[in-house]
Amino acid sequence: MPTTLELSSDLATYAARLVRALRRNNDLPAGARIVSLLDEHGPLGVSALAAADRCSQPTMSAAVAGLVEKGWVDKLPHPDDARSSVVTLTDAGRAALAHFRRVNGTTVAARFKAHPTHTPEDLATAVAVLRDLLDPTYDPERGTL
């Protein structure tokens, strides 16, 4: 039986591979990643959004400008710093994100259906494990939420 460390490493590897496969197969627009970050973190300044996406501020500024044109985000003056702005998700951005998630879900569901040895309970367990591992309120020092 593999150790917890080996299984944890495999989980990270296969989760990353799944995300890459979804990106390749579904050809979602680059802006999908940014819209998802805003959904996860809430409104962010361009610099904070660039840091979250691990890209440069000029790259993020250009990407945000494209998303503003699509109507997926708004770029508003920062309430505490007139020199910067805050990027917020619009209703159209939320609808686009819901569409991207449905497309990804459809792809995963088809792959899941192709493996009849796995049950819906297996899938529910996988989702629960990933959700718990990503819970921002979890304190690994104390082992509690």
Side-chain angles (χ1 to χ4, degrees):
M1 178 72 173
T3 67
T4 300
L5 179 58
E6 291 167 332
L7 290 169
S8 297
S9 178
D10 285 350
L11 178 67
T13 298
Y14 288 111
R17 286 181 184 173
L18 176 61
V19 169
R20 286 193 303 273
L22 290 170
R23 286 183 185 152
R24 277 191 311 272
N25 293 337
N26 295 332
D27 195 29
L28 298 177
R33 185 181 66 251
I34 297 167
V35 170
S36 181
L37 283 170
L38 289 169
D39 179 62
E40 180 182 358
H41 298 288
L44 293 172
V46 173
S47 294
L49 192 52
D53 194 43
R54 301 180 61 117
C55 71
S56 71
Q57 189 274 336
T59 297
M60 183 55 68
S61 288
V64 166
L67 294 175
V68 168
E69 285 181 23
K70 287 182 177 186
W72 292 356
V73 301
D74 284 325
K75 189 175 174 185
L76 307 169
H78 193 289
D80 301 325
D81 183 358
R83 299 167 297 154
S84 63
S85 57
V86 174
V87 182
T88 60
L89 200 53
T90 64
D91 289 341
R94 283 184 189 81
L97 182 59
H99 169 74
F100 304 149
R101 289 178 173 166
R102 278 191 307 275
V103 167
N104 285 338
T106 299
T107 301
V108 171
R111 286 176 173 240
F112 180 76
K113 188 175 180 181
H115 293 278
T117 59
H118 297 296
T119 67
E121 291 78 18
D122 293 336
L123 186 57
T125 297
V127 170
V129 168
L130 287 172
R131 184 179 44 242
D132 289 349
L133 291 174
L134 293 169
D135 186 335
T137 62
Y138 178 73
D139 181 356
E141 295 291 318
R142 294 187 349 200
T144 61
L145 297 177

